[in-house]
Amino acid sequence: MFDPSSILSCILTFLSTILFFLVTGIQAQAKILPRDEVNALQEIAKELGKEDWNFDLNPCDGDPSWNTNVQDPSSQYNNSVVCDCSYPASVCHVVEISMKGQDLAGVLPPSLAKLPNIKIIDLSFNYLNGTIPPQWASTKLEFISATANRLTGSIPTFLGNITSLLYVILENNMFFGAVPAELGKLKNLTSLVLSANNLTGKLPEELNSLTNLIELRLSSNNFSGKIPNLGNCTKLQKLEIQGSGLEGPIPESLSFLRNLTELRIFDLSGEGSRFPNLSRLTRMNKLMLRSCNITGSIPGYISQMFSLRHLDLSFNNLNGGIPDLSELNLEKMYLTGNSLDNSFPTWITGNLVVDLSYNNFSKNTVPRVCGESLNLFRSYSSGNNSDLGKCLSTRPCLKDYYSVHINCGGPLVTIGNKTYEADEDSGGPAKFVPSSDHWGYSSTGSMWSANDSVANYIETNASVLTMNGYELYTKARHTLLSLTYYGRCLANGKYTVTLHFAEIVFRDKQSYKSLGRRVFDVYVQGVNVLKNFDIKIEAGGVDKEVYKTLKGILVTNKTLEIRFQYAGKGTTAVPIRGVYGPLISAISMVAGMYILHIF
């Protein structure tokens, strides 16, 4: 017999089952962050100066205030809090905080230690100050990055106790003191980046215990002593030690680092050496041994580095010839400032960016063409010291000049009674430009760790300039290694040289974009007249002019040379990666008495 109650019971059971699965499904989708971690995030926000986290919403639900979708993969901005919600009962834990490029002006947050599962903290490109908080010693962090901030103090020894660390990136800050030997306890560490700080002392030998290290960058510091033995770091792929204060010679232990793809050693003081034995480093992609007091010839085994794309052996004491590298897929080769003295290599083609300026090749073998990517300025031996390059041979001096005024990177402009000639050639990584019969320039250098598309050889002011004679400073010529201006066909005698500078790229506000340090050297007639010159410091800020007047500069061969050279000091990461190197706004060369003009 048909029983209505049974049917009703079945219906109720069915509905109850559906409701159970609906509720269970909703609960399964819920992401529950423990209250103590929410409280910790509130404290972290206050410590960072982060004001736009929306605590009315769950940090783990992907709200834009907690996770901003950045479309541009090259952007320095990031805003994300990442949760791991794989725990039972849909409990979540914060495992990553990335707050990049936000100009946060607080401190590294001590309350980070209250997040028990935190693994990654990336606070790069902000305006944070203070030190690394001791509370972090209790964490199990794997990744610490604080590139481009105002952090100071010493690198704490307790970092050596966070044995879970894989990455320590503290570039572009103001840390001082010695690198602690305790870092040698970080057996899992793969990346250590301490460049562009004020670190001093000898590097600890314990660095050789970091056998899992893949990347080591120590550039632009004030270390002393020699490069330590790194022969046990056989997994190293990238080693950068430029402008570090360390002394030569280049250690023989580098020959054990067979996995190196990028080696950059630059500006070593002290003892020189022969070319190091790198014959087993066949995976090399970028090799730079610049200003390392290397003597002898370029070894032939470089022709067997079939992955090599960039070769820079500038400003050493190398002689002899260049081995045949035609079997390599080289893109750029800089051999500037050596004593290479054989025949010019016939295998060099127009597809390769090459700078061979300041060498002693046989004159009759050097091409007559000053190409867009072949710099042959002073590339051959000549009894005539005013012989700058064969491409000038058809432009002999027709008269003597007594002054030269150049608006570097800018148009023709008249300031007072001086007319500064235009200098608007676009420039390039290896270029010799004889702009007129009585002056020109030679430019050398390109970026190694950034996209060449951001390599501006002419910089334009980033804001309105208000100084008198501002027209001289709205543009400036820029180089990434070496820039030489020369005056030619000058009457012999004594000259006064005036160099005009203004920092028009870095900014002066509470932002990581103000944290750049541009440091370079200046040579006049081969003499170093300005060492570690910083425009912003000398001028007292950005967008302010400063000029240096050098009197009694002797011209005996109708030629006056002014060279600006990057020596590995300063920053390379702000406002974007790759902004560094000499910057010059205008140049005057005047014979006889100097008449001061105040602009």
Side-chain angles (χ1 to χ4, degrees):
M1 182 177 178
F2 180 73
D3 185 356
S5 62
S6 297
I7 296 176
L8 180 60
S9 176
C10 290
I11 293 173
L12 290 175
T13 301
F14 176 73
L15 292 175
S16 297
T17 302
I18 293 176
L19 181 61
F20 171 79
F21 282 112
L22 285 174
V23 171
T24 302
I26 291 172
Q27 289 177 340
Q29 293 175 13
K31 299 177 180 180
I32 303 169
L33 186 65
R35 185 69 240 177
D36 57 350
E37 292 198 38
V38 175
N39 293 338
L41 288 172
Q42 290 175 329
E43 293 177 25
I44 290 170
K46 291 179 181 178
E47 291 160 351
L48 287 173
K50 176 75 172 170
E51 299 179 348
D52 57 355
W53 277 342
N54 187 350
F55 286 95
D56 292 331
L57 299 173
N58 188 337
C60 301
D61 278 345
D63 177 79
S65 77
W66 295 95
N67 287 278
T68 303
N69 185 17
V70 180
Q71 299 294 331
D72 182 3
S74 65
S75 174
Q76 289 174 313
Y77 177 87
N78 194 9
N79 181 71
S80 63
V81 174
V82 178
C83 302
D84 182 351
C85 297
S86 63
Y87 294 86
S90 299
V91 172
C92 300
H93 292 290
V94 177
V95 295
E96 175 182 347
I97 296 176
S98 181
M99 300 287 120
K100 295 172 58 179
Q102 299 185 31
D103 288 334
L104 300 174
V107 298
L108 293 183
S111 298
L112 191 75
K114 296 182 180 181
L115 298 173
N117 294 72
I118 190 71
K119 294 180 180 179
I120 297 173
I121 180 67
D122 190 346
L123 298 171
S124 302
F125 304 106
N126 282 293
Y127 203 63
L128 302 171
N129 58 41
T131 61
I132 299 176
Q135 290 85 346
W136 288 14
S138 65
T139 67
K140 295 181 180 179
L141 282 166
E142 297 177 1
F143 184 104
I144 297 175
S145 181
T147 294
N149 280 282
R150 298 177 296 153
L151 303 177
T152 185
S154 60
I155 296 175
T157 58
F158 67 72
L159 284 184
N161 296 325
I162 310 177
T163 55
S164 54
L165 277 171
L166 301 175
Y167 299 84
V168 175
I169 304 173
L170 303 175
E171 178 185 11
N172 205 149
N173 280 284
M174 295 178 281
F175 290 107
F176 56 79
V179 175
E182 286 79 2
L183 294 186
K185 295 189 294 183
L186 299 176
K187 303 300 184 182
N188 297 313
L189 197 67
T190 62
S191 184
L192 179 61
V193 181
L194 303 176
S195 300
N197 280 286
N198 298 312
L199 298 171
T200 56
K202 294 183 178 180
L203 289 173
E205 304 244 344
E206 287 79 0
L207 292 180
N208 199 28
S209 300
L210 301 176
T211 55
N212 284 304
L213 206 59
I214 294 175
E215 177 185 33
L216 177 62
R217 300 187 188 274
L218 302 168
S219 300
S220 189
N221 279 289
N222 299 303
F223 297 122
S224 58
K226 299 182 183 298
I227 299 173
N229 175 21
L230 298 171
N232 291 336
C233 303
T234 55
K235 293 183 181 180
L236 261 180
Q237 296 178 16
K238 297 180 180 181
L239 176 60
E240 178 190 292
I241 306 176
Q242 60 185 48
S244 63
L246 293 172
E247 301 174 359
I250 296 171
E252 295 181 2
S253 61
L254 292 187
S255 63
F256 297 104
L257 308 182
R258 298 188 181 186
N259 287 304
L260 274 179
T261 61
E262 182 177 316
L263 176 61
R264 292 195 273 175
I265 301 178
F266 184 5
D267 200 38
L268 292 181
S269 60
E271 184 181 351
S273 63
R274 305 288 287 184
F275 206 101
N277 183 7
L278 307 178
S279 58
R280 290 182 285 186
L281 278 58
T282 56
R283 299 182 181 182
M284 193 71 68
N285 178 270
K286 298 176 182 179
L287 175 60
M288 180 178 74
L289 301 175
R290 187 194 296 169
S291 299
C292 292
N293 295 322
I294 301 175
T295 59
S297 59
I298 300 173
Y301 64 71
I302 289 181
S303 65
Q304 303 302 306
M305 293 181 174
F306 293 110
S307 297
L308 194 64
R309 299 293 179 269
H310 298 245
L311 176 64
D312 186 345
L313 305 175
S314 300
F315 300 106
N316 285 293
N317 298 301
L318 297 168
N319 56 29
I322 304 173
D324 187 346
L325 306 180
S326 58
E327 295 299 314
L328 306 183
N329 292 318
L330 269 179
E331 297 171 3
K332 295 172 185 176
M333 182 173 73
Y334 300 107
L335 302 177
T336 313
N338 282 285
S339 299
L340 300 172
D341 52 11
N342 279 11
S343 298
F344 181 89
T346 56
W347 58 266
I348 291 178
T349 67
N351 296 325
L352 175 63
V353 173
V354 179
D355 194 299
L356 298 177
S357 56
Y358 293 103
N359 275 290
N360 295 315
F361 292 104
S362 300
K363 181 177 180 179
N364 62 344
T365 67
V366 174
R368 304 184 66 88
V369 178
C370 292
E372 287 292 309
S373 59
L374 176 61
N375 190 349
L376 300 174
F377 178 72
R378 288 202 181 283
S379 60
Y380 52 81
S381 55
S382 174
N384 181 4
N385 287 331
S386 64
D387 197 354
L388 304 179
K390 281 190 173 183
C391 65
L392 289 178
S393 61
T394 57
R395 306 172 77 173
C397 294
L398 301 178
K399 66 174 184 178
D400 285 344
Y401 288 84
Y402 293 86
S403 66
V404 179
H405 306 293
I406 307 165
N407 185 18
C408 304
L412 180 76
V413 60
T414 298
I415 305 292
N417 61 356
K418 293 181 181 178
T419 296
Y420 291 80
E421 296 185 50
D423 172 32
E424 298 180 289
D425 182 86
S426 60
K431 199 168 186 181
F432 177 18
V433 181
S435 295
S436 72
D437 64 338
H438 62 286
W439 71 271
Y441 78 86
S442 167
S443 178
T444 305
S446 58
M447 273 178 279
W448 289 66
S449 57
N451 190 327
D452 266 340
S453 65
V454 300
N456 295 324
Y457 297 97
I458 295 179
E459 298 286 1
T460 302
N461 60 303
S463 61
V464 176
L465 303 178
T466 59
M467 73 279 279
N468 292 331
Y470 69 89
E471 296 94 336
L472 288 182
Y473 305 100
T474 57
K475 291 183 179 293
R477 188 163 293 283
H478 171 229
T479 186
L480 293 151
L481 171 55
S482 179
L483 173 65
T484 299
Y485 276 92
Y486 63 86
R488 182 174 171 268
C489 303
L490 300 178
N492 289 335
K494 291 185 177 181
Y495 282 70
T496 293
V497 172
T498 305
L499 307 175
H500 297 260
F501 305 94
E503 181 53 71
I504 59 174
V505 179
F506 299 143
R507 299 297 83 216
D508 193 8
K509 57 183 179 179
Q510 290 193 353
S511 168
Y512 73 88
K513 295 180 181 180
S514 71
L515 300 177
R517 302 190 293 273
R518 185 189 304 279
V519 181
F520 55 94
D521 298 340
V522 180
Y523 295 80
V524 177
Q525 298 294 63
V527 177
N528 188 186
V529 296
L530 297 174
K531 181 70 175 175
N532 292 333
F533 182 73
D534 186 320
I535 299 172
K536 185 168 65 172
I537 290 177
E538 293 285 334
V542 304
D543 298 336
K544 297 180 179 180
E545 79 279 22
V546 60
Y547 56 83
K548 294 294 180 179
T549 299
L550 307 165
K551 299 182 180 181
I553 304 301
L554 186 62
V555 172
T556 59
N557 59 6
K558 295 185 178 294
T559 305
L560 199 164
E561 287 187 26
I562 304 164
R563 180 160 58 90
F564 307 88
Q565 184 172 325
Y566 172 63
K569 293 290 188 180
T571 61
T572 62
V574 293
I576 58 175
R577 180 73 63 180
V579 175
Y580 60 92
L583 190 72
I584 177 66
S585 298
I587 294 174
S588 285
M589 312 174 196
V590 180
M593 294 295 295
Y594 175 75
I595 301 175
L596 180 63
H597 292 270
I598 301 177
F599 301 132

